[in-house]
Amino acid sequence: MAKKLGRSTVRLEKCPAILSSAAVGSKKEGEGPLARYFDHIAADAYFGEESWERAEGRLQQLALQGALSKGGFAPEEIDFLFAGDLLNQCVGSSYGLRDFGIPFLGLYGACSTMAESLIMASLFVECGLAKRAAAVTSSHFCSAERQFRFPLEYGGQRPPTSQWTATASGCAIVGEGKGIAVRHLTAGIIRDLGITDANNMGAAMAPAAASTLTAFFGDTNTHPADYDLILTGDLGQVGRDLLFELLEKENIRISDRHNDCGLMLYDREKQDVHAGGSGCGCSASVLCGAILRQMEENKYQDVLFMATGALMSTTMVQQGESIPGVAHLVHLSVKQPGKEERSC
Amino acid sequence: MAKKLGRSTVRLEKCPAILSSAAVGSKKEGEGPLARYFDHIAADAYFGEESWERAEGRLQQLALQGALSKGGFAPEEIDFLFAGDLLNQCVGSSYGLRDFGIPFLGLYGACSTMAESLIMASLFVECGLAKRAAAVTSSHFCSAERQFRFPLEYGGQRPPTSQWTATASGCAIVGEGKGIAVRHLTAGIIRDLGITDANNMGAAMAPAAASTLTAFFGDTNTHPADYDLILTGDLGQVGRDLLFELLEKENIRISDRHNDCGLMLYDREKQDVHAGGSGCGCSASVLCGAILRQMEENKYQDVLFMATGALMSTTMVQQGESIPGVAHLVHLSVKQPGKEERSC
């Protein structure tokens, strides 16, 4: 049975595994360095739909369908669906996934949602509540821009700290069986150090990332060197530098094994994304595409996947409020642990 | 250990209990028939804050503080916080609860969120992941009206099918120990029968309510007569009538033991709320105030609490989309079951 370590980490004893996964993206993601890891790249931002919001629902549909089909599962074989996105009232998930007939538990963790949904899916499997559970999330550049910032037609200029919301989705199906094992989870605590600039999400999320990572190392009594890759969600360039600075104060150095999904998804030299990619779909598609494939190829054995979310809305920012952040962490491993270590 | 029954019901074997709870409301809720069950009634809609959105955060704060203080718990004694609300990006929860320092897992189930958060909190306790977990949600008439409908100053006329968003919050702390036992849970499947009228949420949610209730009775092999009260979240008058009609087709009759939080919170003769109350805070405050107190007084022994949510956004409705609904159910009981029955 799962064992609680410290304030917010859980060690999984049955080690639920990621049985299958899929990543979906659009044109810009298809031009980036991780293009070959995507299961589906659409030619434009509409995905055959009439609006960007419907397109975002379609992204989630395609990701779930992709993961189902790669695993050889019917929707009836999935016990619970954990999903969420950035759109107001999370309509990317509810409209995109409404026809699958799977018990639906909606989540909201902003860009941390892929880690949050993986946490839930893994725990449900670990505790015998689900034989299989799916974790899905998405973001869409156009639906996010017009909701959070300006109408696209306005052509607002983006400051250097701003990030590019990925038009992408990722889905992972967790269950009992063979696959990348989910071995630890850490649920984040909200942190708010007073950042009020809605064009600088990396800075707003870095304190939460530092807090969760510090908690995880403490709770598990492990060190950065125990992991091949420490992967943050979408801190981008600005947030990454701040994370390193904050961790330095705790005497934790991760720079030789750290990467950030927002810095991986696009070619920042050629693709004009400023501080990097962002959005729930950024970390979801990088994890469910490139990273899980690379783990299967044994490029990485132990990965810490920590997605970060800025829990703001335009209304709160307009009212002068600062931006709270949260970061959830999942420890993934290709290793088959010894019996003495745990009961996997 | 928890046992899965059918597609989406879980029977809890350790029977986590609601250790303490609190309900918070505003002026209108204080003038309604359930006023005496509220722990805190504010004199106006601002709760001492400068905006309605901040006031909604304050509502959640007061509800959590109330439940903590009634149970004699410090925030450090709560392992996980499950919360969500109707505001864009669920900022009622993230801003309201950011200072408690409790690992935070955000949820979005629209007005079903109180049942969804209770499901999560109960399962985490059942599975030994948490000694105690809190479930919190809220809604606010003014923040909801201006976000979903019209600026209040516009004075838009409300049609008879429309419901009144409660300015209220409820919090329940679930844990091992003495209290109202959580014995079964059913996670809902999204249902969408094509309702497009954003002023008729009851009709949009009734199919999901019928679906979850039918599933629950089938999965547990029980009947309406086995429960003293079947309490829906906020279907209001229109949704309730439709629920009865849909259940009639399945030969399920609940009218002699059914009530709806939306029909209980206000005096519909005197308080001009049209089809009834609504909002996450409606079912949350009715459950965490009146119902749990009445169970403690033995007025009810077995209660099915089923909160319903309309998973729409203004954007999707403006694009002509129909409104998907979801309903999550929790079976609460004051009974101490026999050993032969389960291992509580």
Side-chain angles (χ1 to χ4, degrees):
Chain A
M1 263 297 288
K3 188 171 165 26
K4 187 107 185 291
L5 308 173
R7 181 81 176 102
S8 48
T9 299
V10 176
R11 187 175 75 200
L12 304 180
E13 299 284 341
K14 285 168 66 189
C15 293
I18 298 181
L19 305 178
S20 77
S21 65
V24 179
S26 182
K27 190 163 171 281
K28 198 176 186 93
E29 292 69 33
E31 291 162 357
L34 303 182
R36 69 183 179 283
Y37 294 108
F38 279 83
D39 297 277
H40 181 93
I41 292 282
D44 63 26
Y46 281 100
F47 287 77
E49 300 289 335
E50 284 176 4
S51 74
W52 294 321
E53 288 75 17
R54 290 188 193 198
E56 185 164 345
R58 183 84 183 119
L59 269 164
Q60 290 210 20
Q61 240 173 60
L62 288 167
L64 177 54
Q65 275 166 358
L68 286 171
S69 127
K70 285 166 79 177
F73 304 122
E76 301 76 49
E77 294 177 280
I78 307 300
D79 293 314
F80 295 98
L81 195 47
F82 296 96
D85 58 88
L86 291 173
L87 291 179
N88 295 342
Q89 289 72 55
C90 304
V91 289
S93 307
S94 52
Y95 283 82
L97 306 174
R98 66 181 155 179
D99 293 329
F100 284 92
I102 304 173
F104 178 87
L105 292 157
L107 305 177
Y108 184 75
C111 300
S112 75
T113 305
M114 189 65 215
E116 187 183 354
S117 58
L118 257 184
I119 284 179
M120 293 295 191
S122 304
L123 286 176
F124 270 55
V125 171
E126 168 83 10
C127 296
L129 304 170
K131 205 166 167 198
R132 288 174 212 94
V136 200
T137 181
S138 65
S139 56
H140 191 299
F141 177 78
C142 307
S143 64
E145 277 304 297
R146 75 167 164 191
Q147 177 180 283
F148 287 109
R149 293 172 195 96
F150 298 104
L152 285 189
E153 297 82 352
Y154 173 73
Q157 201 170 353
R158 307 169 61 244
T161 54
S162 72
Q163 296 174 237
W164 186 277
T165 307
T167 301
S169 176
C171 173
I173 294 175
V174 182
E176 300 164 8
K178 229 174 119 81
I180 309 289
V182 184
R183 296 180 61 171
H184 291 90
L185 312 163
T186 302
I189 291 176
I190 298 176
R191 301 293 177 195
D192 186 341
L193 295 196
I195 299 289
T196 52
D197 179 359
N199 279 310
N200 194 351
M201 292 300 171
M205 299 187 294
S211 152
T212 298
L213 204 53
T214 307
F216 172 79
F217 288 132
D219 292 344
T220 55
N221 197 19
T222 60
H223 307 276
D226 296 320
Y227 306 94
D228 307 307
L229 174 66
I230 297 170
L231 182 69
T232 46
D234 52 356
L235 291 175
Q237 185 67 50
V238 180
R240 184 191 67 170
D241 295 347
L242 288 170
L243 171 64
F244 289 174
E245 204 180 310
L246 290 165
L247 287 176
E248 187 72 39
K249 293 184 188 170
E250 310 285 336
N251 275 316
I252 297 173
R253 280 167 208 90
I254 60 167
S255 59
D256 61 338
R257 57 200 67 231
H258 173 268
N259 213 337
D260 182 79
C261 298
L263 296 173
M264 298 168 74
L265 185 56
Y266 304 109
D267 182 334
R268 289 174 62 225
E269 299 288 313
K270 297 181 192 153
Q271 290 191 285
D272 190 30
V273 295
H274 294 17
S278 71
C280 301
C282 175
S283 59
S285 66
V286 172
L287 176 75
C288 296
I291 301 302
L292 291 175
R293 295 301 84 71
Q294 290 172 348
M295 290 185 79
E296 286 161 6
E297 292 158 6
N298 243 355
K299 179 173 174 188
Y300 304 116
Q301 296 213 310
D302 280 275
V303 172
L304 300 184
F305 171 68
M306 178 170 63
T308 52
L311 302 173
M312 44 70 76
S313 74
T314 53
T315 309
M316 299 313 284
V317 171
Q318 283 157 10
Q319 290 178 11
E321 269 287 4
S322 56
I323 301 171
V326 76
H328 300 297
L329 179 150
V330 179
H331 167 208
L332 302 169
S333 179
V334 299
K335 287 182 203 153
Q336 299 300 318
K339 266 200 177 157
E340 71 289 349
E341 200 184 344
R342 65 198 67 200
S343 59
C344 293
Chain B
M1 264 296 289
K3 189 173 166 22
K4 186 107 185 289
L5 307 173
R7 181 80 175 104
S8 49
T9 299
V10 177
R11 187 175 73 199
L12 303 181
E13 299 283 342
K14 284 169 65 188
C15 293
I18 298 181
L19 305 179
S20 77
S21 66
V24 179
S26 182
K27 189 162 172 279
K28 199 177 185 90
E29 293 68 35
E31 290 162 357
L34 304 183
R36 69 181 180 283
Y37 294 107
F38 278 83
D39 298 276
H40 180 94
I41 292 283
D44 62 27
Y46 281 100
F47 287 77
E49 299 290 334
E50 281 175 6
S51 74
W52 294 322
E53 289 74 17
R54 291 189 192 198
E56 185 164 346
R58 183 83 183 120
L59 269 164
Q60 290 209 20
Q61 239 173 59
L62 288 168
L64 177 54
Q65 275 166 357
L68 287 171
S69 127
K70 284 166 79 178
F73 304 121
E76 301 76 49
E77 294 177 280
I78 307 299
D79 293 314
F80 295 98
L81 196 47
F82 296 96
D85 58 86
L86 292 173
L87 291 179
N88 296 343
Q89 289 74 55
C90 304
V91 288
S93 308
S94 52
Y95 283 81
L97 306 174
R98 66 181 154 178
D99 293 328
F100 284 92
I102 305 173
F104 178 85
L105 293 157
L107 305 177
Y108 184 75
C111 300
S112 74
T113 305
M114 189 65 215
E116 187 184 355
S117 58
L118 256 184
I119 284 179
M120 293 296 192
S122 304
L123 286 176
F124 269 54
V125 171
E126 169 82 10
C127 297
L129 304 171
K131 205 165 167 197
R132 290 174 212 94
V136 200
T137 180
S138 65
S139 56
H140 192 299
F141 177 78
C142 306
S143 64
E145 277 303 297
R146 76 166 165 192
Q147 177 180 282
F148 287 110
R149 295 172 195 98
F150 298 105
L152 285 188
E153 298 80 355
Y154 173 74
Q157 201 170 352
R158 307 167 64 243
T161 54
S162 71
Q163 295 173 237
W164 186 277
T165 306
T167 301
S169 176
C171 173
I173 294 174
V174 183
E176 301 164 6
K178 230 174 121 88
I180 308 288
V182 184
R183 296 181 60 170
H184 291 90
L185 312 163
T186 302
I189 292 176
I190 298 176
R191 301 294 178 194
D192 186 342
L193 296 195
I195 299 290
T196 53
D197 179 359
N199 278 310
N200 194 350
M201 291 299 171
M205 299 188 293
S211 154
T212 297
L213 204 53
T214 307
F216 172 79
F217 288 132
D219 291 344
T220 54
N221 196 20
T222 60
H223 306 276
D226 296 320
Y227 306 94
D228 307 307
L229 174 66
I230 297 170
L231 182 69
T232 46
D234 52 355
L235 291 175
Q237 184 68 48
V238 179
R240 183 190 70 171
D241 294 349
L242 287 170
L243 172 64
F244 289 174
E245 205 180 309
L246 290 164
L247 288 176
E248 187 73 39
K249 292 183 188 169
E250 310 285 335
N251 275 316
I252 296 172
R253 279 167 209 91
I254 60 166
S255 60
D256 61 337
R257 58 200 65 232
H258 173 268
N259 212 336
D260 182 78
C261 299
L263 297 172
M264 297 167 75
L265 185 56
Y266 303 110
D267 182 333
R268 289 174 64 224
E269 299 287 313
K270 296 183 193 154
Q271 290 189 287
D272 191 30
V273 295
H274 294 17
S278 72
C280 300
C282 175
S283 59
S285 65
V286 172
L287 177 74
C288 295
I291 301 302
L292 291 176
R293 294 302 83 72
Q294 290 172 348
M295 290 185 79
E296 286 161 6
E297 292 158 7
N298 243 354
K299 179 173 174 188
Y300 304 116
Q301 294 214 311
D302 279 275
V303 172
L304 299 184
F305 171 68
M306 178 171 63
T308 53
L311 302 172
M312 45 70 77
S313 74
T314 52
T315 310
M316 298 313 283
V317 171
Q318 282 157 10
Q319 289 179 12
E321 269 288 4
S322 56
I323 301 170
V326 76
H328 300 298
L329 179 149
V330 178
H331 167 207
L332 302 169
S333 179
V334 298
K335 287 181 203 152
Q336 298 301 319
K339 266 203 176 156
E340 72 290 347
E341 200 183 346
R342 66 196 66 201
S343 60
C344 293

Short mmCIF file of all heavy atoms in Angstrom, two decimals, chain B residues 36 39 55 96 114 135 137 150 165 179 201 214 237 247 286 299 301 306 310 318 321:
data_model
loop_
_atom_site.label_atom_id
_atom_site.label_comp_id
_atom_site.label_asym_id
_atom_site.label_seq_id
_atom_site.Cartn_x
_atom_site.Cartn_y
_atom_site.Cartn_z
N ARG B 36 -30.25 29.31 10.63
CA ARG B 36 -29.72 28.92 11.95
C ARG B 36 -28.62 27.86 11.86
O ARG B 36 -27.90 27.63 12.82
CB ARG B 36 -30.84 28.45 12.86
CG ARG B 36 -31.48 27.11 12.47
CD ARG B 36 -32.62 26.77 13.44
NE ARG B 36 -33.29 25.52 13.13
CZ ARG B 36 -34.18 25.34 12.16
NH1 ARG B 36 -34.49 26.35 11.36
NH2 ARG B 36 -34.76 24.17 11.96
N ASP B 39 -22.64 28.74 10.23
CA ASP B 39 -21.69 29.08 11.28
C ASP B 39 -21.33 30.56 11.24
O ASP B 39 -20.91 31.13 12.23
CB ASP B 39 -20.41 28.24 11.11
CG ASP B 39 -20.71 26.77 11.27
OD1 ASP B 39 -20.75 26.31 12.41
OD2 ASP B 39 -20.97 26.09 10.25
N ALA B 55 -13.99 38.56 -2.10
CA ALA B 55 -14.97 38.15 -1.10
C ALA B 55 -15.22 36.65 -1.20
O ALA B 55 -15.36 35.96 -0.19
CB ALA B 55 -16.27 38.92 -1.30
N GLY B 96 -8.26 32.26 -2.04
CA GLY B 96 -8.83 32.14 -0.70
C GLY B 96 -8.01 31.24 0.20
O GLY B 96 -7.89 31.48 1.40
N MET B 114 -18.68 20.16 -4.63
CA MET B 114 -18.69 19.73 -3.21
C MET B 114 -18.70 18.21 -3.14
O MET B 114 -17.98 17.63 -2.31
CB MET B 114 -19.91 20.30 -2.47
CG MET B 114 -19.83 20.06 -0.96
SD MET B 114 -18.43 20.95 -0.18
CE MET B 114 -17.96 19.80 1.11
N ALA B 135 -12.43 19.23 2.24
CA ALA B 135 -13.15 19.50 0.98
C ALA B 135 -13.83 20.85 1.13
O ALA B 135 -14.58 21.06 2.08
CB ALA B 135 -14.19 18.41 0.74
N THR B 137 -15.66 24.33 -1.06
CA THR B 137 -16.06 25.00 -2.29
C THR B 137 -16.95 26.19 -1.97
O THR B 137 -17.40 26.35 -0.85
CB THR B 137 -16.70 24.02 -3.30
OG1 THR B 137 -17.06 24.74 -4.46
CG2 THR B 137 -17.92 23.36 -2.72
N PHE B 150 -24.66 39.10 -16.81
CA PHE B 150 -24.58 40.53 -17.11
C PHE B 150 -23.94 41.26 -15.94
O PHE B 150 -23.99 40.78 -14.82
CB PHE B 150 -25.98 41.10 -17.34
CG PHE B 150 -26.69 40.49 -18.50
CD1 PHE B 150 -27.71 39.57 -18.31
CD2 PHE B 150 -26.33 40.84 -19.80
CE1 PHE B 150 -28.36 39.01 -19.39
CE2 PHE B 150 -26.98 40.27 -20.89
CZ PHE B 150 -28.00 39.35 -20.69
N THR B 165 -27.60 32.20 -7.75
CA THR B 165 -26.32 31.69 -7.25
C THR B 165 -26.14 32.07 -5.79
O THR B 165 -26.18 33.26 -5.44
CB THR B 165 -25.15 32.27 -8.07
OG1 THR B 165 -25.39 32.00 -9.46
CG2 THR B 165 -23.83 31.63 -7.66
N GLY B 179 -17.80 10.38 13.50
CA GLY B 179 -18.53 11.37 12.72
C GLY B 179 -19.48 10.68 11.77
O GLY B 179 -19.66 9.46 11.84
N MET B 201 -30.18 25.79 -16.20
CA MET B 201 -29.17 24.83 -15.77
C MET B 201 -29.80 23.55 -15.23
O MET B 201 -29.23 22.47 -15.34
CB MET B 201 -28.30 25.46 -14.68
CG MET B 201 -27.44 26.57 -15.19
SD MET B 201 -26.31 25.93 -16.44
CE MET B 201 -25.63 27.45 -17.04
N THR B 214 -29.21 6.28 -11.04
CA THR B 214 -29.53 4.95 -11.57
C THR B 214 -28.33 4.01 -11.44
O THR B 214 -28.45 2.86 -11.02
CB THR B 214 -29.94 5.06 -13.06
OG1 THR B 214 -30.98 6.04 -13.17
CG2 THR B 214 -30.44 3.75 -13.60
N GLN B 237 -36.37 23.86 -9.25
CA GLN B 237 -37.71 23.33 -9.54
C GLN B 237 -37.75 22.62 -10.90
O GLN B 237 -38.28 21.52 -11.04
CB GLN B 237 -38.70 24.50 -9.53
CG GLN B 237 -40.14 24.10 -9.72
CD GLN B 237 -40.65 23.31 -8.51
OE1 GLN B 237 -40.45 23.72 -7.37
NE2 GLN B 237 -41.27 22.17 -8.75
N LEU B 247 -36.23 9.48 -14.14
CA LEU B 247 -36.13 8.30 -13.27
C LEU B 247 -37.37 7.41 -13.41
O LEU B 247 -37.28 6.19 -13.32
CB LEU B 247 -35.95 8.73 -11.81
CG LEU B 247 -34.59 9.31 -11.44
CD1 LEU B 247 -34.60 9.77 -9.98
CD2 LEU B 247 -33.46 8.29 -11.66
N VAL B 286 -25.56 23.92 2.28
CA VAL B 286 -26.71 23.17 2.79
C VAL B 286 -26.23 21.86 3.42
O VAL B 286 -26.67 21.48 4.51
CB VAL B 286 -27.76 22.92 1.67
CG1 VAL B 286 -28.86 21.98 2.16
CG2 VAL B 286 -28.36 24.24 1.20
N LYS B 299 -32.20 13.09 12.62
CA LYS B 299 -33.38 13.30 11.77
C LYS B 299 -33.26 12.42 10.52
O LYS B 299 -34.24 11.89 10.02
CB LYS B 299 -33.47 14.78 11.38
CG LYS B 299 -34.66 15.06 10.46
CD LYS B 299 -34.87 16.54 10.20
CE LYS B 299 -35.99 16.73 9.17
NZ LYS B 299 -36.12 18.11 8.74
N GLN B 301 -30.80 9.20 8.84
CA GLN B 301 -29.73 8.22 9.13
C GLN B 301 -28.87 7.97 7.89
O GLN B 301 -27.67 7.94 7.95
CB GLN B 301 -30.36 6.92 9.61
CG GLN B 301 -31.06 7.08 10.96
CD GLN B 301 -30.93 5.84 11.80
OE1 GLN B 301 -31.19 4.74 11.32
NE2 GLN B 301 -30.50 6.01 13.03
N MET B 306 -26.03 14.18 -3.75
CA MET B 306 -25.58 14.16 -5.15
C MET B 306 -25.58 15.58 -5.70
O MET B 306 -26.64 16.16 -5.99
CB MET B 306 -26.52 13.28 -5.99
CG MET B 306 -26.14 13.26 -7.46
SD MET B 306 -27.07 12.01 -8.37
CE MET B 306 -28.73 12.62 -8.17
N ALA B 310 -23.09 21.90 -14.24
CA ALA B 310 -23.24 22.21 -15.67
C ALA B 310 -21.87 22.65 -16.16
O ALA B 310 -21.38 23.70 -15.77
CB ALA B 310 -24.27 23.30 -15.87
N GLN B 318 -22.14 30.79 -26.19
CA GLN B 318 -22.21 31.79 -27.26
C GLN B 318 -21.89 31.18 -28.62
O GLN B 318 -22.32 31.66 -29.65
CB GLN B 318 -21.25 32.95 -26.96
CG GLN B 318 -21.80 33.92 -25.91
CD GLN B 318 -20.71 34.71 -25.21
OE1 GLN B 318 -19.55 34.70 -25.62
NE2 GLN B 318 -21.08 35.41 -24.16
N GLU B 321 -23.04 25.89 -28.51
CA GLU B 321 -22.87 24.53 -27.99
C GLU B 321 -23.93 24.21 -26.94
O GLU B 321 -24.41 25.09 -26.23
CB GLU B 321 -21.48 24.42 -27.33
CG GLU B 321 -20.39 23.95 -28.27
CD GLU B 321 -20.51 22.47 -28.63
OE1 GLU B 321 -21.48 21.81 -28.21
OE2 GLU B 321 -19.62 22.00 -29.36
#
